Amino acid sequence: KAKREAEEKAKREAEEKAKREAEEKAKAKAVPALAATAAVLSRSLKHVLASGLVVRYSVNQQVAGRFEVLLDASIARRIGLHGPPATGLAKGAAPQIVIGKAILVTTKGGSSTVKILFGKKTAARLHRLSRVSLTVRLVVRNASAKSPASTTVVSVVTLTH
């Protein structure tokens, strides 16, 4: 009887130890929280209109998403630009339109740069302005099926001729 109890106790302890090790292994494999940053490197309106808006980004894991360049709707109307209205803006924020887009797909975490190009008509209309304030929005989603996450990074830049 004592021998059987000792065997059962050893079996329970072994099962508990295996369970703890499995939990620790799962924690080690857990996907870290999604983190992303974006910073506009361009400062010259003339250079941006000719060769694109350069944005440096950094992510901590594999992601897919998009960059959007937003312009205040009142300025767009004044210079004759039309585009889709930006959705998902903060409550009370001035309406904006999307004037440029770029897709972002990464295979792992890291940082790089992306060039967002503008169409000829958009560039010609923006060229009329001596200075313009643009909002660059980066929306990314991770590739995890078990714990999907999304984050949005917004940065504002003022470009001058």
Side-chain angles (χ1 to χ4, degrees):
K1 188 177 180 181
K3 188 178 178 183
R4 193 181 313 136
E5 288 176 359
E7 288 174 358
E8 288 175 3
K9 185 178 179 185
K11 189 177 177 182
R12 278 195 308 269
E13 288 174 355
E15 288 173 355
E16 288 173 3
K17 184 178 178 184
K19 189 177 178 182
R20 279 195 307 272
E21 288 175 355
E23 287 174 356
E24 288 173 5
K25 200 173 184 181
K27 283 182 184 178
K29 283 187 176 181
V31 178
L34 178 60
T37 61
V40 179
L41 301 180
S42 304
R43 292 290 176 247
S44 163
L45 181 58
K46 187 175 182 179
H47 186 266
V48 165
L49 297 178
S51 58
L53 184 69
V54 180
V55 181
R56 182 162 186 80
Y57 69 89
S58 173
V59 293
N60 68 340
Q61 57 185 279
Q62 180 179 348
V63 297
R66 67 186 182 279
F67 286 94
E68 294 176 337
V69 181
L70 311 176
L71 177 66
D72 195 70
S74 62
I75 295 171
R77 199 174 316 113
R78 196 174 77 218
I79 62 175
L81 269 181
H82 304 284
T87 58
L89 296 174
K91 205 168 196 172
Q96 299 191 354
I97 65 163
V98 179
I99 60 169
K101 292 186 284 190
I103 299 295
L104 172 67
V105 178
T106 66
T107 56
K108 61 182 181 178
S111 62
S112 187
T113 58
V114 66
K115 226 179 232 190
I116 305 170
L117 300 173
F118 296 106
K120 283 184 180 180
K121 185 177 179 181
T122 303
R125 301 286 168 92
L126 288 174
H127 186 73
R128 298 177 186 174
L129 303 171
S130 58
R131 67 188 283 133
V132 64
S133 184
L134 300 174
T135 303
V136 177
R137 180 165 64 175
L138 168 62
V139 180
V140 293
R141 291 170 297 286
N142 67 359
S144 173
K146 292 181 180 175
S147 58
S150 175
T151 188
T152 303
V153 180
V154 177
S155 55
V156 178
V157 63
T158 301
L159 303 173
T160 58
H161 269 290

